[in-house]
């Protein structure tokens, strides 16, 4: 009998072009997503070497990081941002790469539009010069972020030189309690295994709580896999995946779809397969989470208090905690729900899909953004924005005093004008609470979309379960 | 890519865990379309004070370390974003090697593509090198990639290993793409087989834009 294999093993083996004696593998890439920030130097490299793009038909480009989320009819004010987007547009023309222009309804954050357009499919290898490419693992694809040299390598050869990662399984069994979202699940996982807990591994998320998640929830989960150190996270494709994909613009159709379905059903991990590492979490024990520090692993249940570094035994960990608390201007033992915020950001490739906006709107409905708080809602794509407007979510947000914006990466890492000023404290649905990421000395607290909306209407970090 | 054979230089201690790529190179400067000149924003948030002046507490602002060629860091060095601007900025500053107990996967890969050597050592050995690195102008280490050794200021040596293929590419300064192009036949054969077995993986984005 054949050796049992994991979902990851199956995808890896079916994409192996060659393997050297030392274990270096050449793997084939099925889908390459390109954005304006990490591609200009790669295209420049192609030009200098006189190389062409091997598979424009397996490549798509979009500008997302630099685009304004306010009125776009005037173009981009910032000359450097404009140059980067113009450079992408020149490159896609010169190398004949399909592109969704900034004014196209399909434009959006690259990790939102891949699944939305049916470009990201089970069993694929998907790469992008962006660490949150892990998102597409929700489709049952092996998807991971690469650097610009690797972007150039994929453009030229449609392959990558890689070492084979190990298999890790994270199981979440049981039902998620009321008020707990996929964001809370992934923050709880990262808090448990640490920000380097998955380094060198691909994480397969499994268990009844994961199977019970919608595709949007699975995307949120897989998105932050990189914050646990693993380049890729996976959820086995199932009927939820297939129902999501069917009918999307670039998904297989007709007989091709039937053939693909049959293949996709062979992908889930075999019974009795070996994982190099296994972690298990009880779904019923997960509460809404928020971060207090400057690493995504600094997450605690909302009922918790800011930890005291004096109680930490490991000296390097203690030093990191002290530095975090100093940066975050927080005192040990402060209840998290007493931390006041000045800014709220609902968006990013982690939490800007329709379900996220619905969850935030449910909290915002009939309430007002607290005095002194500025709250932005940035949909993940033009299509998410349109759907939200058809559902009346924009009205709910606007009436509550939130700003309703155009799609893009926005305040997650602030390459456009959406930047925290004056070292503001932010309740954010994004993925990284690193120092300075959302603005100079900005203090980020990561949380799910309903929790961020709760922070907006109360003016402080709040337990959404008490608002509902 | 510039070859990496041996390197002798001052090692700067940076004993922080989880040094992320936003810290190494802030996102706001990713708007560049070039690979060069990035060192002016290297470690900006901790290297400079809010008024733009140098933070004297930061190691690279201290005299012996201004010309550091080696960084000795804490665990999970380079976590976060995939931006290759992080190794580009380090190289532009003059750093050719980083020694740490562990590295984030994408950063580690990116280093090899640019002739920057990431060396993983057990924490106990990194601690020894951190002590060495605190010796200011005497914090001189010699790294020999071929032999896989680091020679300490007292003449003692530590050993490290690098995957044979990556080591070969660094020693010879080889271009990955050029090497892969030698496998063009195998890539084409793979594509032909996939076209038969999984035909939906072709012409995927045709019709877009």
């Amino acid at each position: 009998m054949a050796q049992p294999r994991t979902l990851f093993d199956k995808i890896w083996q079916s994409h192996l072009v060659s393997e050297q004696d030392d274990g270096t593998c050449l793997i084939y890439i099925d889908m390459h997503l390109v954005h304006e920030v990490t591609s200009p130097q790669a295209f420049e490299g192609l030009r200098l070497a006189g190389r062409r793009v091997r598979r424009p038909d397996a490549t798509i480009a979009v500008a997302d990081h630099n685009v304004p989320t306010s009125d776009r009819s005037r173009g981009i004010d910032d000359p450097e941002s404009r140059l980067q987007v113009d450079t992408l547009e020149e490159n896609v023309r010169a190398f004949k790469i399909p592109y969704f222009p900034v004014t196209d309804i399909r434009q959006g954050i690259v990790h939102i539009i891949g699944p939305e357009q049916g470009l990201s499919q089970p069993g694929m290898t998907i790469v992008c010069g962006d660490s949150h490419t892990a998102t597409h693992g929700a489709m049952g694809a092996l998807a991971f972020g690469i650097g610009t040299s690797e972007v150039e390598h994929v453009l030229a050869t449609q392959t990558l030189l890689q070492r084979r990662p190990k298999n890790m399984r994270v199981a979440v069994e049981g039902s998620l309690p009321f008020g707990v979202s996929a964001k809370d699940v992934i923050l709880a996982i990262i808090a448990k295994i640490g920000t380097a807990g998955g380094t060198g591994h691909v994480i397969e998320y499994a268990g009844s709580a994961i199977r019970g998640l919608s595709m949007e929830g699975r995307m949120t989960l897989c998105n932050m896999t990189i914050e646990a150190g693993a380049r890729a996270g996976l959820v086995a494709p199932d009927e939820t995946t297939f129902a999501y994909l069917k009918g999307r613009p670039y998904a297989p159709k007709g007989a091709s779809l039937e053939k693909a379905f049959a293949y996709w059903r062979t992908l889930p991990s075999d019974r009795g397969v070996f994982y190099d590492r296994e972690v298990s979490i009880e779904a019923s024990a997960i509460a809404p989470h928020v971060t207090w520090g400057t690493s995504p692993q600094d997450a605690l249940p909302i009922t918790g208090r800011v930890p005291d570094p004096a109680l930490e035994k490991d000296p390097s960990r203690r030093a990191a905690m002290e530095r975090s608390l100093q940066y975050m201007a927080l005192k040990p033992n402060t209840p998290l729900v007493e931390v006041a915020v000045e800014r709220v950001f609902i968006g990013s490739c982690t939490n800007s899909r329709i379900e996220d906006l619905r969850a935030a709107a449910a909290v915002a409905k009939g309430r007002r953004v607290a005095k002194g708080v500025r709250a932005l809602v940035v949909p993940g794509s033009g299509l998410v924005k349109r759907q939200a407007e058809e559902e009346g979510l924009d009205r709910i947000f606007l009436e509550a005093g939130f700003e309703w914006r155009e799609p893009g990466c926005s305040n997650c890492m602030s390459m456009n004008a959406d930047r925290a000023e004056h070292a503001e404290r932010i309740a954010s649905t994004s993925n990284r609470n690193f120092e300075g990421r959302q603005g100079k000395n900005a203090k980020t607290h990561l949380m799910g979309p309903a929790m961020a909306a709760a922070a907006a209407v109360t003016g402080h970090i709040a337990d959404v379960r008490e608002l509902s | 890519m510039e070859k990496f054979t041996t390197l002798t230089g001052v090692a700067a201690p940076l004993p922080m865990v989880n040094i992320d790529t936003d810290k190494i190179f802030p996102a706001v400067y990713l708007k560049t379309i070039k690979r060069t000149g990035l060192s002016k924003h290297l470690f900006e948030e901790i290297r400079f004070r809010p008024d733009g002046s140098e933070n004297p507490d930061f190691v690279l602002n201290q005299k012996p370390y201004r010309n550091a060629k080696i960084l000795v860091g804490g665990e999970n060095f380079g976590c976060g974003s995939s931006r290759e601007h992080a190794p580009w900025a380090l190289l532009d500053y003059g750093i050719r090697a980083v020694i740490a107990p562990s590295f984030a996967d994408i950063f580690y890969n990116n280093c090899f593509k640019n002739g920057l050597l990431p060396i993983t050592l057990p924490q106990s050995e990194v601690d020894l090198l951190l002590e060495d690195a605190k010796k200011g102008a005497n914090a001189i280490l010699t790294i020999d990639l071929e032999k896989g050794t680091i020679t300490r200021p007292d003449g003692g040596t530590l050993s490290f290993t690098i995957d044979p293929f990556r080591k070969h590419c660094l020693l010879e300064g080889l271009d990955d793409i050029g090497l892969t192009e030698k496998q063009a036949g195998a890539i084409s054969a793979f594509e032909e087989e996939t076209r038969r077995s999984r035909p939906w993986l072709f012409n995927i984005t045709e019709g877009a834009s």
Side-chain angles (χ1 to χ4, degrees), chain B residues 27-42:
Chain B
V28 69
Y29 304 111
L30 295 176
K31 295 176 191 180
T32 178
I33 58 169
K34 302 192 181 318
R35 299 174 197 242
T36 49
L38 306 191
S39 62
K40 63 181 172 200
H41 303 301
L42 178 71

Side-chain angles (χ1 to χ4, degrees), chain A residues 7 82 100 106 152 157 218 308 335 340 412 419 451 457:
Chain A
L7 166 59
R82 191 169 62 235
F100 293 156
R106 297 169 299 176
E152 186 180 339
T157 68
R218 295 176 188 185
D308 187 348
C412 173
R419 191 171 307 131
M451 287 282 286
V457 299

Side-chain angles (χ1 to χ4, degrees), chain A residues 97-418:
Chain A
I97 291 173
Y99 173 65
F100 293 156
V102 176
T103 49
D104 192 302
I105 185 101
R106 297 169 299 176
Q107 182 269 343
I109 306 173
V110 67
H111 307 309
I112 303 291
I113 68 173
E116 183 175 83
Q117 291 292 327
L119 292 161
S120 314
Q121 301 165 14
M124 274 183 165
T125 46
I126 302 174
V127 295
C128 174
D130 194 292
S131 61
H132 291 110
T133 308
T135 313
H136 309 264
M139 307 302 301
L142 175 63
F144 55 91
I146 56 178
T148 297
S149 294
E150 292 183 314
V151 168
E152 186 180 339
H153 194 281
V154 176
L155 288 170
T157 68
Q158 205 58 32
T159 62
L160 271 180
L161 287 160
Q162 295 287 300
R163 305 283 304 182
R164 185 190 176 114
K166 293 182 182 143
N167 278 290
M168 178 166 173
R169 183 175 189 266
V170 174
V172 187
E173 299 285 358
S175 312
L176 294 175
F178 166 76
V180 173
S181 71
K183 182 64 161 282
D184 303 310
V185 175
I186 187 63
L187 285 174
I189 291 170
I190 299 166
K192 183 179 171 92
I193 69 174
T195 187
T199 302
H201 294 75
V202 164
I203 297 178
E204 180 177 343
Y205 298 101
S208 53
I210 304 297
R211 284 197 300 278
L213 288 176
S214 66
M215 290 311 294
E216 286 85 351
R218 295 176 188 185
M219 289 174 213
T220 299
L221 180 79
C222 288
N223 172 274
M224 286 188 71
T225 304
I226 186 67
E227 269 61 67
R231 288 172 75 184
L234 290 157
V235 176
D238 59 9
E239 295 309 317
T240 305
T241 321
F242 305 151
Y244 176 91
L245 259 175
K246 203 172 174 179
R248 295 198 177 257
Y250 296 96
K253 293 184 179 57
S256 194
L257 180 63
E258 290 311 311
K259 201 170 174 188
F261 274 155
Y263 175 71
W264 294 342
R265 285 184 214 284
T266 68
L267 290 171
S269 296
D270 298 329
R271 214 171 299 196
V273 71
F274 170 79
Y275 290 87
D276 299 281
R277 193 173 168 208
E278 294 197 55
V279 172
S280 181
I281 289 184
E282 191 61 49
S284 62
I286 303 176
H289 270 59
V290 298
T291 62
W292 54 267
T294 55
S295 166
Q297 71 186 6
D298 300 337
L300 281 173
I302 181 63
T303 48
R305 289 166 181 265
V306 175
D308 187 348
L311 303 176
E312 174 60 49
K313 291 187 189 78
D314 175 38
S316 61
R317 179 82 196 113
R318 190 189 318 130
M321 283 172 80
E322 283 166 353
R323 187 183 160 79
S324 282
L325 291 189
Q326 188 189 14
Y327 179 87
M328 294 295 290
L330 289 174
K331 290 203 168 60
N333 301 314
T334 308
L336 292 169
V337 292
E338 288 180 10
V339 177
V341 301
E342 296 148 296
R343 193 177 175 96
V344 173
F345 173 59
I346 297 172
S348 87
C349 57
T350 313
N351 281 124
S352 64
R353 298 174 191 84
I354 189 68
E355 271 191 9
D356 302 317
L357 303 187
R358 285 181 193 142
V363 174
K365 190 168 187 173
R367 295 190 169 97
R368 290 286 308 170
V369 171
K371 202 167 176 229
V373 174
R374 184 170 178 196
L376 268 65
V377 185
V378 184
S381 71
L383 289 167
V384 169
K385 180 168 185 267
R386 186 170 74 186
Q387 186 178 354
E389 288 170 354
E390 284 166 3
E391 295 181 14
L393 305 184
D394 59 324
R395 298 304 321 157
I396 293 173
F397 285 123
L398 288 166
E399 279 162 21
F402 289 79
E403 296 174 37
W404 180 245
R405 298 299 197 97
E406 299 294 326
C409 300
S410 181
N411 203 175
C412 173
M413 39 98 80
S414 306
M415 284 187 68
N416 70 353
D418 305 339

